[in-house]
Amino acid sequence: MVNCKVVLPLLAALGYLLVGVTAQQKDWWETTVFYQIYPRSFYDSNGDGVGDVRGVTAKLQYLKDSGLDATWLSPIFSSPQEDYGYDVSDFLSVDPLFGTNADLEELFAEAKKLGIKIILDFVPNHTSNQHEWFIKSEQRIEPYTDYYIWHSGRPNGNDRPLVPNNWQSLFYGSAWQWSDIRQQYYLHQFAVGQPDLNYRNEAVIKEFDDILRFWMAKGASGFRVDAVNHMFEVEDLRDEPINNPDDPFSYGYTHHIYTKDLPETYEVVGRWRKLIDDYVAANGLETVIMMTEAYANLTMTMKFYQSDDGRPRAHFPFNFAMIEDLHDWSNAYDFKYIIDRWLGNMPSGKITNWVLGNHDKPRFASRYGRDRIDGMALMLMTLPGAAVVYNGEEIGMEDFRDMSFEDTRDPQGCNLGPNNYKWASRDPQRTPFQWDNGYNAGFSSAAKTWLPIHPQYAGNNLRQQQEAATSTYKYYVAAIKLRKERVFTHGAFESRAFNDEVFGFVRYIHENDNRYLDPYNVVLINLSGYSQKIYVHHLYEFASEVATVKLASKQSSYNVGAVVSTAGLTLGPYEAVVLGN
Ligand code: NOJ
C-alpha cells in the first residue's frame, strides 16, 4: 500500500513538472533564444578573411527577422589569438582584428534600436601571457606578483626543476610552463599562452569586478562566464589520482578533483551576481544576466543556481545534457529520462535552458544526423525556459571534419599533430557562416578566409533556404515564433516515451474547471526512420479528439493548419510536429 508519507514528497518533487506556471510576466531572458555568434566566422565586413564586430552589426536585421532577441558573442577583446580570443590581453578593449571599442558601442546602440540584447563573453579563469598583469607578474612587479599560479617545481639536481605535479592541460601536455624570466613554472589549464589566474588573491577578483562594471556601463545585457569551474585549484597543488594511465600527457590522465569544481568557485560566482544585481538596481537597468559555462556533473552544475541558503548565483548554468548525455543512438526513453532528470533537479523557481551545440563541440547536425535536425530543433524551441542556438544551426550547418592539418588553427587540434588532430580539433564546427552560394559563401571578399569554407555551402546556405518552400531555416523561424505563445512561455510540462522511437511532451496551462478547455500543445518527435502510430491521449488525457497542426517538419506529410485525429496518428520517418487546440 502507498501511504501519505510516500506520496507527499513525491508530489512535491514532481511539482515543477506537473503544476502549471501562473501567467505572471516573464523577464526578458527567461524565455528568449540566445543566438551564439562566433564573430570570427559570422560576417567579415572589411575583407580580411576574419569576421568582425561591424559584421555582426551588419547582420542584426537578420537576427531580428529570424525572431532572435538576444545574442552572445564569443570574445572580441584584445588577444594574440592563441586560443582564438579566449586568451585575452586586455579585457577592456576590442582587438583591432575585430574592430574598435567604438564599433562595439555602435553595435550596442543598433541592437538596442532593434530590441536585441548583447551578451559578452567573460573569461575569468586565465589571461593571455601577453596581458600586462602576466608580464609584470613574471617580473615580480607588485601588485601582480601573485596574480597567477606560480611554483618553483620539484628539485632535479643541477638541471631545470621538474614540473610541480601531474596535472595536464585540456589542450594536451603538462599544465605547467617554465618561465626563464621568473625561474618558476606557471599553471595553464588551457593553452601555454593562457596562464591561470590566482583566485586566492582578492585583488584578482576585484579586477574582474571592475571589468563587469565597465561593460555594463557600455550596455552589455549579460555575461557568458567562460570555464568557470576551472577557477580554483587546491592550495597545495598536490598530484591528482590517476584516471587513465594510457597517455600521461592527456587531460584524461588524472581525475580532476583538485583542479575543477572546487567549492570556492561558487562563492565568487555569487559575489559577481550580487555585484551585477546591485549595479542594475543602482542604475535602473533591465536585468543583466550571467550564464556560466561548466562541463560538470549534474550536482555540481545545479550549484551554479544558488547557494544552500538560497543566495542567487548565475541566472543559469548552460545545460549541456543534449551535448553530453544524449546522442544519435539515444532512444525516446533516454530523452525522457535525461530531460526529466534535469528539470527535476533544478532548484524550485529557477529557469532552465537548452543547448544543442557551440564552438567547442561538434555540430548537432553532425552528431545527431541530418534527418534529426528538425526534431532536435523542435525540442530545443518548445521545452520550458531559454534556448541557445549556435550560429549556423538554424540552417543545419555540419562539421567540416575533413579539414586538412595545414588549414587547422585550433590549439586543441594542432597540439596532437597531423595524425591525431582530426577528432580533437574544434575548427570543423567553426567554419564561416554559409550566407549564400556566392564567393566565400557570402562571408568575406578576402582571397583566403581564416578557416576554409565548408565545401557543402553551395547546396546548403541561408539564401537557398530562405527561397525554398520548406527548409530548416524556415522551420526554425516558425518554431521561434511559436515558442513566443503563452502555452510555451508559461505552460507546464509533461513528457512521454510512446515507445523506443517516439518522444513527446505536452505544454499546457491549467486555467479552466473543465480541463478539456485548457490550452495545450503537444510536441511529437519520431527519432526513427520508420512510421509510427501514436495516441496523443497516452501523453495528455485532456487532448481533444482532433487537434490543429501548429508546426510540421520538412519531412512531414501534415500541413500546418490541418485538423488531425489525435487517436492513431501516424508519424512518418523522423517527423516532428506540434499539435494543439
Ligand atoms: C571554453 C571556451 O568555450 C573554449 O573555446 C576555450 O578554449 C576555453 N574555455 C578556454 O578559454
Side-chain angles (χ1 to χ4, degrees):
M1 199 179 92
V2 182
N3 62 26
C4 294
K5 268 193 183 155
V6 176
V7 169
L8 284 178
L10 261 181
L11 286 180
L14 287 173
Y16 179 84
L17 304 181
L18 298 178
V19 176
V21 183
T22 57
Q24 85 274 15
Q25 191 67 32
K26 299 258 176 171
D27 203 351
W28 69 266
W29 58 275
E30 297 184 334
T31 56
T32 200
V33 180
F34 291 91
Y35 185 66
Q36 181 196 349
I37 292 181
Y38 192 68
R40 290 188 78 89
S41 292
F42 196 54
Y43 185 64
D44 171 16
S45 75
N46 62 355
D48 63 358
V50 180
D52 42 48
V53 172
R54 285 180 161 220
V56 176
T57 311
K59 297 294 184 183
L60 281 175
Q61 190 60 47
Y62 164 65
L63 268 64
K64 193 71 201 165
D65 294 345
S66 307
L68 299 163
D69 300 324
T71 175
W72 73 270
L73 309 179
S74 285
I76 32 98
F77 311 111
S78 294
S79 159
Q81 306 290 321
E82 192 176 325
D83 187 22
Y84 295 94
Y86 284 96
D87 48 325
V88 181
S89 54
D90 179 357
F91 291 95
L92 304 183
S93 73
V94 171
D95 194 287
L97 188 66
F98 295 116
T100 62
N101 280 30
D103 292 339
L104 185 55
E105 290 193 37
E106 190 191 355
L107 171 63
F108 283 140
E110 292 303 312
K112 194 169 183 186
K113 283 186 205 158
L114 292 173
I116 296 174
K117 306 274 197 281
I118 306 280
I119 285 94
L120 296 178
D121 217 316
F122 179 70
V123 189
N125 177 66
H126 44 263
T127 68
S128 158
N129 59 358
Q130 305 301 309
H131 196 293
E132 188 195 351
W133 304 339
F134 184 79
I135 293 170
K136 291 191 168 155
S137 188
E138 215 177 5
Q139 299 170 60
R140 297 180 196 264
I141 297 174
E142 292 302 345
Y144 303 104
T145 309
D146 292 329
Y147 264 41
Y148 296 84
I149 311 285
W150 292 101
H151 192 282
S152 300
R154 286 173 293 157
N156 188 26
N158 292 329
D159 293 335
R160 179 192 291 175
L162 300 170
V163 289
N165 60 27
N166 67 355
W167 299 354
Q168 304 302 313
S169 139
L170 276 94
F171 291 168
Y172 201 75
S174 172
W176 296 97
Q177 178 70 20
W178 180 256
S179 160
D180 279 337
I181 297 175
R182 182 154 158 158
Q183 292 289 302
Q184 277 192 310
Y185 284 99
Y186 68 83
L187 177 71
H188 63 91
Q189 294 197 65
F190 293 91
V192 172
Q194 290 170 300
D196 270 56
L197 285 156
N198 174 14
Y199 270 86
R200 300 193 187 274
N201 181 347
E202 175 77 11
V204 169
I205 307 180
K206 284 192 175 142
E207 295 278 9
F208 283 91
D209 293 350
D210 293 342
I211 293 164
L212 288 171
R213 286 195 201 95
F214 178 89
W215 287 116
M216 282 191 282
K218 298 282 182 211
S221 293
F223 300 93
R224 173 264 187 195
V225 188
D226 182 75
V228 65
N229 55 337
H230 294 274
M231 273 169 34
F232 280 89
E233 299 76 31
V234 72
E235 265 186 290
D236 65 6
L237 310 179
R238 74 191 90 148
D239 274 353
E240 290 186 323
I242 306 299
N243 170 37
N244 177 358
D246 292 352
D247 183 352
F249 295 113
S250 75
Y251 189 61
Y253 178 56
T254 62
H255 284 292
H256 304 292
I257 58 171
Y258 300 135
T259 52
K260 214 172 138 265
D261 303 330
L262 268 63
E264 297 90 325
T265 312
Y266 301 95
E267 292 306 312
V268 179
V269 171
R271 167 196 176 121
W272 284 333
R273 170 63 183 272
K274 180 165 181 338
L275 180 150
I276 290 173
D277 286 354
D278 289 350
Y279 187 93
V280 164
N283 293 280
L285 302 177
E286 279 187 89
T287 306
V288 171
I289 66 147
M290 182 168 37
M291 39 202 208
T292 46
E293 186 230 18
Y295 290 90
N297 67 32
L298 195 61
T299 310
M300 302 315 276
T301 303
M302 290 300 169
K303 285 182 190 289
F304 282 105
Y305 275 113
Q306 62 182 16
S307 63
D308 290 346
D309 59 0
R311 278 171 296 133
R313 292 173 174 164
H315 288 78
F316 56 72
F318 281 130
N319 170 359
F320 292 134
M322 288 185 180
I323 296 179
E324 301 281 287
D325 304 326
L326 290 166
H327 313 275
D328 57 346
W329 62 85
S330 302
N331 66 25
Y333 294 96
D334 299 326
F335 274 88
K336 177 174 169 50
Y337 172 71
I338 294 293
I339 289 170
D340 286 356
R341 185 178 70 158
W342 178 275
L343 292 172
N345 274 279
M346 291 209 5
S348 94
K350 297 291 176 183
I351 302 297
T352 189
N353 69 102
W354 305 92
V355 186
L356 283 171
N358 57 41
H359 63 293
D360 291 328
K361 299 292 172 183
R363 284 188 175 275
F364 91 85
S366 301
R367 281 185 288 116
Y368 283 99
R370 225 177 269 187
D371 290 329
R372 293 200 188 85
I373 291 176
D374 286 9
M376 293 306 300
L378 181 60
M379 245 183 260
L380 187 82
M381 291 301 166
T382 52
L383 285 166
V388 186
V389 172
Y390 175 47
N391 62 197
E393 281 177 4
E394 74 276 28
I395 56 167
M397 275 180 68
E398 293 176 61
D399 295 336
F400 180 20
R401 189 61 59 191
D402 287 333
M403 195 181 295
S404 69
F405 185 66
E406 289 63 45
D407 281 336
T408 296
R409 301 278 169 268
D410 177 20
Q412 188 168 291
C414 295
N415 289 354
L416 291 182
N419 296 327
N420 298 313
Y421 74 99
K422 222 175 207 176
W423 291 98
S425 171
R426 297 168 296 179
D427 290 337
Q429 59 265 27
R430 296 176 176 180
T431 58
F433 192 94
Q434 294 154 204
W435 294 101
D436 56 40
N437 66 1
Y439 185 68
N440 284 335
F443 161 69
S444 167
S445 59
K448 191 168 165 53
T449 53
W450 82 281
L451 279 183
I453 310 286
H454 195 309
Q456 72 172 196
Y457 78 96
N460 186 25
N461 58 72
L462 177 69
R463 182 171 307 155
Q464 170 224 43
Q465 294 202 20
Q466 284 172 325
E467 287 167 0
T470 61
S471 67
T472 292
Y473 174 70
K474 287 197 163 167
Y475 190 66
Y476 258 93
V477 173
I480 293 170
K481 191 163 172 228
L482 186 66
R483 68 179 267 113
K484 293 181 178 171
E485 291 187 4
R486 197 168 61 101
V487 75
F488 289 109
T489 55
H490 289 75
F493 169 87
E494 266 176 69
S495 67
R496 182 178 179 98
F498 288 89
N499 55 31
D500 272 352
E501 316 291 5
V502 180
F503 174 60
F505 51 90
V506 62
R507 304 296 309 275
Y508 65 93
I509 296 177
H510 179 27
E511 59 188 8
N512 294 288
D513 291 339
N514 177 354
R515 299 220 38 194
Y516 289 92
L517 297 178
D518 286 341
Y520 78 91
N521 273 204
V522 164
V523 176
L524 300 169
I525 295 152
N526 182 358
L527 300 164
S528 78
Y530 305 97
S531 288
Q532 309 280 342
K533 199 171 202 178
I534 58 112
Y535 293 80
V536 172
H537 300 89
H538 292 169
L539 161 63
Y540 186 57
E541 61 177 310
F542 304 109
S544 32
E545 280 174 20
V546 289
T548 306
V549 177
K550 298 288 183 77
L551 199 64
S553 55
K554 291 192 300 291
Q555 303 98 328
S556 181
S557 56
Y558 299 110
N559 293 322
V560 173
V563 173
V564 296
S565 163
T566 50
L569 181 92
T570 300
L571 285 180
Y574 301 111
E575 190 163 350
V577 293
V578 179
L579 311 177
N581 57 359

